[in-house]
Amino acid sequence: MVMTTQILEGISLRNSTIERLSTKIKLLSVQPTLAVIQIGNLADSTAFIKAKKAFGDKIGARVTHTILPDKIKMDGVVALIKKLNADSSVQGILVQLPLPSHLDKHTIIDTIDPKKDVDGLTSTHTQELWEDGSDIILPATARGILALLDHYNIQVEGKKVVVVGRSTLVGKPTAIALLNRNATVIICHRGTENLKEETRRADILIVAIGKAKFINKDFVRSGQVVIDVGINITSESKPRQEVGKKSFVGDVDFEEVSKIVSAISPVPGGVGAMTVASLFENLLDIVEK
Ligand code: NAD
């Protein structure tokens, strides 16, 4: 019997999300507005913001983009956030991470009015998530992962989920969101002993470590669902790649792992495709409150 591996495509789901959100926005009396603050000019941040603007354009949301100099002091950033907090034409505020090292990330994020915290990173929303409260705004990548699992009817309740990576942005919120959905969750990280043993135990393996093709055939077994969150720039060229465009690979060795497991999300076209869509789902949730 030939086993086929299910590819968990984020692109078709993102396209249907675009249609659904644009239909919703047409019916609103206000145009949803997301204010993005960039500090400095990191090329990756600029590219991520460009993707957000493009998505906003597609669904009819407004995205404003303010670039502050990378030497700016805390009070300059805090003043801008307070101004946006008070601006009733802005429903969502996002500070693009990472920040220059002289700035205090926690103070900056916590200056955002929780009602406009589209990234779900303020203490208020972190606490809501921790307590499985009724007012959770889930960070976009975590929401994108759940959307992908739901779309493919992959049950999480009662399943053993191993999350590799414990960042505040991805690993931790994803793990807690799955715990809130009654999964049995193990979080692994740099200090985990016998990582291969842990990952092979999973029914659902979620990898967010930022190491190209790190998870290979030795880390998986048949029957697993593998979600690859990693986005790593590679010099490998890919079929149909546009000249001059960067190429990306995940944290999972797709060629090897896809021959073994039951389902896997590709990179690109998996979780990454869902993350921006999920950010705008958060914005629409805020607008509709
Ligand atoms: P991070 O650097 O903040 O955290 C990495 C985590 O991985 C840490 O907790 C660390 O302990 C763990 N780790 C690193 N090496 C490890 C190893 N050898 N074994 C076990 N654990 C290890 O990274 P992040 O912000 O969480 O991002 C992770 C990856 O996900 C990156 O490739 C990033 O580009 C990608 N990412 C993708 C999306 C998306 O939309 N698809 C969104 C955000 C981040």
Side-chain angles (χ1 to χ4, degrees):
M1 196 177 69
V2 181
M3 286 272 297
T4 51
T5 303
Q6 186 175 32
I7 307 299
L8 309 175
E9 297 280 0
I11 290 182
S12 53
L13 179 55
R14 180 188 59 188
N15 291 343
S16 60
T17 308
I18 288 173
E19 274 179 38
R20 183 166 46 78
L21 295 187
S22 23
T23 307
K24 259 191 191 182
I25 287 176
K26 282 192 193 105
L27 299 173
L28 292 173
S29 54
V30 291
Q31 184 184 26
T33 297
L34 169 66
V36 179
I37 302 171
Q38 180 178 11
I39 303 167
N41 59 358
L42 278 180
D44 281 356
S45 295
T46 306
F48 288 137
I49 293 168
K50 201 172 150 201
K52 286 165 189 154
K53 277 182 165 170
F55 193 96
D57 284 347
K58 283 200 175 106
I59 62 168
R62 190 164 74 98
V63 178
T64 67
H65 178 194
T66 307
I67 305 176
L68 299 174
D70 61 358
K71 296 268 180 325
I72 192 158
K73 296 210 173 91
M74 281 295 290
D75 46 2
V77 185
V78 166
L80 173 61
I81 296 173
K82 284 186 173 165
K83 193 172 145 218
L84 293 166
N85 282 343
D87 183 342
S88 60
S89 71
V90 171
Q91 291 85 22
I93 303 171
L94 179 154
V95 179
Q96 187 69 42
L97 301 174
L99 298 177
S101 57
H102 70 281
L103 295 173
D104 173 3
K105 184 175 96 177
H106 296 292
T107 303
I108 288 179
I109 297 294
D110 266 344
T111 304
I112 298 172
D113 179 345
K115 290 193 204 75
K116 297 190 177 188
D117 172 22
V118 75
D119 240 351
L121 293 176
T122 53
S123 305
T124 305
H125 288 297
T126 308
Q127 192 180 343
E128 272 301 288
L129 178 61
W130 196 246
E131 290 176 1
D132 196 9
S134 56
D135 198 20
I136 295 170
I137 293 182
L138 202 52
T141 308
R143 185 167 183 168
I145 292 168
L146 295 189
L148 205 55
L149 291 169
D150 289 345
H151 180 71
Y152 286 96
N153 291 319
I154 296 166
Q155 194 199 327
V156 298
E157 177 153 3
K159 300 291 178 203
K160 202 165 286 167
V161 179
V162 173
V163 180
V164 190
R166 60 170 168 197
S167 69
T168 316
L169 206 58
V170 185
K172 279 183 194 154
T174 304
I176 305 299
L178 287 160
L179 183 65
N180 290 346
R181 285 190 172 199
N182 292 331
T184 301
V185 181
I186 297 173
I187 306 176
C188 298
H189 45 81
R190 267 193 202 93
T192 300
E193 286 181 5
N194 301 324
L195 182 62
K196 287 177 191 168
E197 248 172 57
E198 300 298 342
T199 56
R200 287 168 61 85
R201 253 198 263 264
D203 299 311
I204 301 172
L205 173 62
I206 300 176
V207 189
I209 57 176
K211 295 223 158 75
K213 297 187 176 183
F214 182 87
I215 299 292
N216 61 25
K217 60 180 180 8
D218 302 333
F219 288 77
V220 296
R221 58 167 174 81
S222 64
Q224 291 180 305
V225 173
V226 176
I227 303 289
D228 187 356
V229 187
I231 301 179
N232 307 287
I233 295 172
T234 170
S235 51
E236 280 175 31
S237 60
K238 295 209 165 171
R240 297 187 302 280
Q241 187 184 324
E242 284 176 49
V243 178
K245 281 254 173 175
K246 284 179 183 167
S247 180
F248 300 100
V249 290
D251 291 340
V252 176
D253 186 330
F254 186 88
E255 294 298 316
E256 281 191 17
V257 170
S258 62
K259 290 190 182 108
I260 298 169
V261 300
S262 309
I264 182 168
S265 69
V267 176
V271 174
M274 285 312 297
T275 296
V276 178
S278 297
L279 179 74
F280 283 89
E281 295 262 26
N282 281 350
L283 181 68
L284 266 285
D285 284 353
I286 290 173
V287 170
E288 287 175 337
K289 260 185 195 149

